[in-house]
Amino acid sequence: MNGDKQNERLIMDAGDMGRALTRIAHEILERNKGVQDLALVGIRTGGVHLAHRLAKRIQDIEQVPVPIGDLDITLYRDDLSLRKEQPVLRTTSVPFDVSDKIIVLVDDVLFTGRTIRAAMDGLMDLGRPAEIQLAVLVDRGHRQLPIKATYIGKNLPTSREENVQVLLEELGEDDRVVILKAAC
């Protein structure tokens, strides 16, 4: 990712991220009255790691494992024809039937809503969930589609030109959320 911390404005450190994920785990359990018929699906790439962290927190609280899957939305994106480079396909692994389950989609940053729309399309190709909820670490606004997160770690008003990044230890970084400053 980006190892140049001088061009970053720190928004959340590792402690902030951990507390936000713990709060989201409790909110998921409270809203759904436990883990009955609950499953998490992380959107590649950052959402997958956050989904695994949430699943661990939920298991620590409830002493019950929650099914977890990974979703690659590449072929569901509405901007494939606009991209110059070939898309890199990664695996989708949802090792359970999504039908009649409460699926919590997990992503790192909610921006325009287009990634979430693509994820819902991909999820619906796997079955018919009873409900789809959305958990995001950061909601930065600027929606282009009528999509709203069910669970939010941090609301972060931004300008469209700013670049918000969630950096994770699973990807070789120190856990943090930053806004990258534009190069002058």
Side-chain angles (χ1 to χ4, degrees):
M1 290 262 167
N2 183 344
D4 184 7
K5 293 184 182 182
Q6 291 179 332
N7 290 327
E8 299 175 355
R9 180 165 49 107
L10 183 66
I11 303 302
M12 297 175 82
D13 62 18
D16 297 329
M17 289 172 62
R19 285 185 293 279
L21 290 172
T22 298
R23 180 175 39 78
I24 290 171
H26 281 283
E27 289 174 358
I28 289 169
L29 292 170
E30 184 177 333
R31 177 182 173 120
N32 296 295
K33 298 176 178 36
V35 296
Q36 182 72 33
D37 297 320
L38 184 71
L40 303 179
V41 175
I43 301 170
R44 291 213 177 265
T45 299
V48 169
H49 301 300
L50 295 174
H52 282 273
R53 291 185 191 190
L54 280 171
K56 180 177 182 341
R57 281 170 169 79
I58 289 170
Q59 183 171 347
D60 289 348
I61 297 164
E62 292 289 304
Q63 304 302 308
V64 177
V66 177
I68 187 164
D70 305 346
L71 184 63
D72 179 25
I73 58 137
T74 303
L75 294 178
Y76 294 93
R77 295 183 60 95
D78 62 5
D79 63 353
L80 275 179
S81 63
L82 304 175
R83 292 176 165 245
K84 292 178 181 154
E85 70 277 351
Q86 273 298 100
V88 176
L89 295 178
R90 295 178 178 88
T91 58
T92 286
S93 173
V94 180
F96 53 86
D97 185 3
V98 301
S99 297
D100 299 319
K101 288 215 181 316
I102 299 166
I103 303 295
V104 179
L105 276 175
V106 181
D107 204 6
D108 50 3
V109 178
L110 176 56
F111 186 27
T112 63
R114 292 181 181 277
T115 295
I116 304 309
R117 187 223 33 98
M120 288 191 296
D121 287 349
L123 197 56
M124 297 303 279
D125 278 353
L126 300 175
R128 189 175 189 277
E131 183 177 348
I132 299 174
Q133 300 171 2
L134 175 60
V136 297
L137 185 61
V138 176
D139 182 345
R140 63 172 292 189
H142 303 288
R143 229 58 95 239
Q144 295 174 348
L145 299 173
I147 290 176
K148 181 179 178 189
T150 317
Y151 314 100
I152 301 168
K154 182 169 186 70
N155 281 297
L156 180 63
T158 61
S159 75
R160 285 186 145 299
E161 291 73 36
E162 290 176 308
N163 184 357
V164 176
Q165 284 195 345
V166 174
L167 303 164
L168 302 170
E169 65 183 20
E170 292 91 340
L171 300 173
E173 296 281 349
D174 294 333
D175 278 351
R176 63 193 187 282
V177 176
V178 298
I179 292 179
L180 298 179
K181 298 175 188 170
C184 295

